[in-house]
Amino acid sequence: MAATKDPRPCSIADALALVGEKYSLLVLREACLGNGRFDQLVRNIGAPRDILATRLRRLVDAGILTKRAYSERPQRFEYRPTQAGLELEPVLLTLMAWGDRHLRRDEGRPMVIEHSCGNELLPVVTCQACGAGVHHDDLTAHPQIPGWSVTGPTAA
Amino acid sequence: MAATKDPRPCSIADALALVGEKYSLLVLREACLGNGRFDQLVRNIGAPRDILATRLRRLVDAGILTKRAYSERPQRFEYRPTQAGLELEPVLLTLMAWGDRHLRRDEGRPMVIEHSCGNELLPVVTCQACGAGVHHDDLTAHPQIPGWSVTGPTAA
DNA sequence: AGGGAAGGGTTTGTTTTTCCAACCCATGGA
DNA sequence: TCCATGGGTTGGAAAAACAAACCCTTCCCT
């Protein structure tokens, strides 16, 4: 049996250990928008400068951002998303859509994303195999690790 | 021009203000899995009990979870996702897939999700209008709020 | 040459959160 | 009766966030 004090092994938890700290995903948002300079990040995110510096180091170490000079003399830097960082963008888009739907029922949206197809982007999470939109009731969880079963309606 | 100290208005930031605190999304994960009892949450998440109690209050207040009794005498409670909570599940799935890809290249995955189509779920974020998978280069951001423009390759 | 200002941070000291362990209370079972 | 279970609350110590000030280099203006 699992020892009485370690949590469920989980990629969500692991991902959040990297990008789940306060401001981290907002840093990634700005980097994806092309606003990767330190003072832009400070202004657009509203985070304390020291915390931001800490987050940037972590995200660079994790391979989610890179720090590149956009000017030598004077040295000036810019943070850009790596491939791994760009692959987190769908998480941001999905979260943004959720916020638009549930937190802004009557206000306008602060940002609209246009897809290259010409329409406004409404992100939908689909099953790669069948293409259908994903809904809770269509899912069955299969824990791969002994001792970490699941009890509810999503159970294996 | 915007005052020198308020951040960009953003649904991602607003959503994270609700579910971005440490453990909140893991609570939702367990609730979605059907493990919504206090001691299950403590064990499966590994969070301090007092923090968990705080998070649960916040998530219930935010309308993401509901607290329902599964037994009177003795009173025993269970937290279940609301509709709004279920609609956050795609965020979790997308994050899990990212973690599986980037944080576990060589280990096995801790959990596999089966879709009702019979295949293993690989979540893909698509454009509702055209059905295509979403990639960074296909997106153009249109800020709706004067003063919050965007500079980079995703610019409007 | 002197005096900013911009950019990218670091330092210092204070306020919040987290964390851990212990405790509490009601019911139920041995 | 005594202990276990479930669902928390409490108190004190440790860690993190915060705000404001500071630092350093290079450019620009006069």
Side-chain angles (χ1 to χ4, degrees):
Chain A
M1 76 207 58
T4 325
K5 178 53 198 300
D6 36 35
R8 177 198 294 280
C10 170
S11 292
I12 300 172
D14 292 355
L16 287 173
L18 288 185
V19 299
E21 292 170 299
K22 201 170 178 185
Y23 306 119
S24 291
L25 286 176
L26 300 182
V27 169
L28 184 62
R29 174 196 75 192
E30 291 299 320
C32 286
L33 289 172
N35 304 111
R37 302 180 186 182
F38 192 82
D39 64 330
Q40 291 177 320
L41 294 169
V42 169
R43 277 196 305 279
N44 295 356
I45 296 174
R49 307 168 74 84
D50 56 342
I51 305 296
L52 207 40
T54 305
R55 294 295 180 270
L56 287 167
R57 269 187 294 266
R58 257 183 89 61
L59 290 170
V60 168
D61 287 356
I64 290 167
L65 298 181
T66 49
K67 180 179 188 172
R68 55 157 75 275
Y70 65 87
S71 147
E72 318 284 339
R73 325 209 43 73
Q75 282 225 319
R76 293 290 134 85
F77 305 102
E78 180 185 23
Y79 295 89
R80 301 173 120 287
T82 61
Q83 182 58 34
L86 286 178
E87 290 179 31
L88 270 172
E89 205 178 21
V91 173
L92 295 180
L93 294 168
T94 308
L95 201 54
M96 185 177 94
W98 185 89
D100 284 343
R101 263 181 290 130
H102 293 277
L103 269 23
R104 301 193 176 263
R105 279 238 152 268
D106 298 319
E107 317 157 52
R109 281 159 302 175
M111 174 99 68
V112 168
I113 307 288
E114 180 190 343
H115 188 237
S116 55
C117 73
N119 295 284
E120 176 183 343
L121 178 73
L122 273 181
V124 183
V125 175
T126 59
C127 169
Q128 184 172 59
C130 75
V134 164
H135 300 101
H136 179 72
D137 293 344
D138 300 330
L139 305 178
T140 309
H142 296 274
Q144 304 293 293
I145 296 172
W148 289 106
S149 58
V150 154
T151 66
T154 317
Chain B
M1 77 206 54
T4 326
K5 177 55 196 302
D6 36 35
R8 177 198 293 279
C10 171
S11 291
I12 300 172
D14 293 354
L16 288 173
L18 288 186
V19 299
E21 292 170 300
K22 200 170 177 184
Y23 305 119
S24 291
L25 285 177
L26 299 183
V27 169
L28 184 62
R29 174 196 74 192
E30 290 300 318
C32 286
L33 290 171
N35 304 111
R37 303 181 185 179
F38 193 83
D39 64 331
Q40 292 177 319
L41 294 169
V42 169
R43 277 196 305 278
N44 295 357
I45 296 174
R49 307 168 73 85
D50 55 343
I51 304 296
L52 207 40
T54 305
R55 294 295 179 270
L56 287 167
R57 269 188 294 268
R58 257 184 88 61
L59 290 170
V60 168
D61 286 356
I64 290 168
L65 298 181
T66 49
K67 179 179 189 172
R68 54 158 77 272
Y70 66 87
S71 147
E72 317 284 339
R73 325 207 43 70
Q75 283 224 319
R76 293 290 134 85
F77 306 101
E78 179 185 23
Y79 295 89
R80 302 172 119 282
T82 60
Q83 183 58 34
L86 287 178
E87 290 179 30
L88 270 172
E89 205 178 22
V91 174
L92 296 180
L93 294 168
T94 307
L95 202 53
M96 185 178 93
W98 186 89
D100 283 344
R101 263 181 292 131
H102 293 277
L103 270 24
R104 302 194 175 263
R105 278 239 152 268
D106 298 318
E107 316 157 51
R109 282 158 301 176
M111 173 101 66
V112 168
I113 307 289
E114 181 190 342
H115 188 237
S116 56
C117 73
N119 295 284
E120 174 184 343
L121 177 73
L122 272 180
V124 184
V125 174
T126 59
C127 169
Q128 184 172 59
C130 75
V134 165
H135 300 101
H136 179 71
D137 292 344
D138 300 330
L139 305 177
T140 309
H142 295 275
Q144 305 292 293
I145 295 172
W148 289 106
S149 58
V150 154
T151 66
T154 317

